[in-house]
Amino acid sequence: MNAPSLVAECDVLIVGAGIIGLAHATEALRRGLTVMVIDRDSRAVGASVRNFGHCCVTAQSGDLLELAQTARERWLHFSGLAGFFSVESGGLAVARSTEELAVLEELSASRETGQVRLVTGAEVNDRLDRDGSLGSAGSAGSAGLIVGGAVLRDDIRVDPRQAVAALAAWLDDQPGARVWWRTSFLAAAEPTGIGAGLVRTSRGSIRAERTIVCVGHDLDYLYPEVADEYEVQRCSLQMARLELPGARRIAPAVLTGTSMLRYPAFAQTRAATQLRRVMDDRHPDLVDIDANVMFTQRPDGTIIAGDSHHYDQSVAPFLAEPTTDLLLRHVREVLGGPDARVIERWQGVYASSPLQSYVIADIEPGLTAVSITSGVGMTIGFGVAARTFQTLG
Ligand SMILES: Cc1cc2nc3c(=O)[nH]c(=O)nc-3n(C[C@H](O)[C@H](O)[C@H](O)COP(=O)(O)OP(=O)(O)OC[C@H]3O[C@@H](n4cnc5c(N)ncnc54)[C@H](O)[C@@H]3O)c2cc1C
């Protein structure tokens, strides 16, 4: 076979047009570099369009909180430039037990005033635009009353289906940037010698000073040794979209007790230890599916609801109906009423490592792989992109 011909040149080649690849591309542009993004698909259909669109800033801690705050600014900035929906909605953590409330109280006390603001059951109902007949601490069904909640000030939301497509289109319009779809990364040539800096793609070779590979959970397809080092697996999640009767508006991203066992700022409280015991005892079914019962509302009024977590090297294509039933029962309880109708179901997949929330790995000179290895790519992606370029100098 002949060597593929040179089809393009740039300073930085990004592989993958999900949010992580696009965030890196915007960072390259900010630094005055020419950039190309290639993706094997004809549009983004990976994790970046299958999620809640929730930038879960407030419930991060330490390094992740810092990355999330950077990402928050960039989301709002690019939403203006590229013209996609974003809203400084905050998050709403709904407490349905005193143990959940204790987690929120402890977190609130540890943060600057107003960042985690405790609210009554009545205010939770208001923010959920729930039927007034459910009362200020309205019955939420078998899971008990809504006893209160907390507004998570710094959380923002985008519509994932719109945001990633709009950002890619905006990038492709910028001088010095190009996005090529249906173009697969095949291999990087040897780092030295005549082919140095050449990347083989399904459309020919691209010469780049630096290549950043952002292929999400497919990291192991290209670099199994890196995936093994960080014990990266695939996490698969069951999701659904619901249509609500009436014209209810629910601005915040809505989290529940299961979310309090997942996101670090909640999970690191002392009260979370007791909550974990209570969950094991009262909701072993939710614990079994590693649930994070939460939802967000799209601009068209429909609700993105989820999710369960299953970890494996490869993802089975089969969705378990009892898992979706269980998740939706809890989502409907918080929504208040049985009448939210399912209009779509899907499976999402992201990379997961028990060791790190994200991986920036030098593969060889000029070639770096970046993968977010926890369920927070929308929250920290732009922050990680800035970090990658700082690391590269
Ligand atoms: C159901 C679900 C809910 C989630 N909810 C949230 C949330 O609310 N908040 C949050 O912060 N995070 C959330 N996440 C996590 C977040 O969505 C991911 O961390 C993030 O989208 C990962 O982005 P990515 O660009 O790495 O991956 P992807 O979006 O999967 O993009 C990878 C891209 O690489 C391309 N590619 C792969 N191989 C090649 C190749 N050889 N050549 C060219 N292109 C290639 C693919 O076509 C794909 O477009 C959720 C994830 C899921 C699945």
Side-chain angles (χ1 to χ4, degrees), residues 45-255:
V45 290
S48 303
V49 301
R50 300 181 192 204
N51 59 54
F52 295 95
H54 174 212
C55 305
C56 181
V57 178
T58 322
Q60 305 304 323
S61 65
D63 182 45
L64 295 184
L65 181 57
E66 203 178 296
L67 293 169
Q69 292 287 11
T70 304
R72 180 184 197 279
E73 274 170 36
R74 303 274 161 93
W75 270 120
L76 296 173
H77 173 73
F78 285 111
S79 157
L81 282 182
F84 58 82
F85 164 90
S86 71
V87 54
E88 295 185 61
S89 58
L92 178 65
V94 177
R96 294 189 289 166
S97 68
T98 50
E99 292 82 5
E100 291 171 7
L101 200 54
V103 170
L104 300 181
E105 285 167 352
E106 191 179 328
L107 180 60
S108 175
S110 73
R111 288 289 174 91
E112 70 182 51
T113 308
Q115 197 178 38
V116 177
R117 186 169 67 77
L118 297 173
V119 291
T120 61
E123 186 168 345
V124 171
N125 274 345
D126 264 5
R127 287 179 177 266
L128 291 174
D129 201 7
R130 273 164 59 118
D131 185 342
S133 67
L134 289 166
S136 63
S139 168
S142 59
L145 301 176
I146 290 180
V147 295
V151 173
L152 311 173
R153 184 191 67 195
D154 296 342
D155 290 19
I156 61 170
R157 288 197 300 112
V158 297
D159 180 21
R161 300 181 189 199
Q162 192 206 358
V164 177
L167 191 54
W170 177 84
L171 263 170
D172 197 33
D173 244 16
Q174 302 310 301
R178 275 174 291 178
V179 181
W180 282 9
W181 299 102
R182 295 173 57 234
T183 307
S184 293
F185 171 86
L186 301 177
E190 293 304 311
T192 54
I194 198 161
L198 280 186
V199 169
R200 279 185 46 223
T201 80
S202 52
R203 293 189 186 276
S205 291
I206 297 176
R207 186 182 297 284
E209 288 289 315
R210 158 85 36 202
T211 299
I212 305 177
V213 176
C214 307
V215 294
H217 55 269
D218 289 341
L219 178 72
D220 63 339
Y221 289 173
L222 295 171
Y223 306 114
E225 68 294 347
V226 176
D228 287 350
E229 183 184 342
Y230 294 97
E231 300 176 23
V232 176
Q233 287 200 312
R234 287 177 173 74
C235 174
S236 57
L237 305 83
Q238 291 191 199
M239 302 286 288
R241 188 155 72 102
L242 309 175
E243 199 169 60
L244 282 178
R248 283 175 71 180
R249 299 313 303 178
I250 303 172
V254 179
L255 311 180

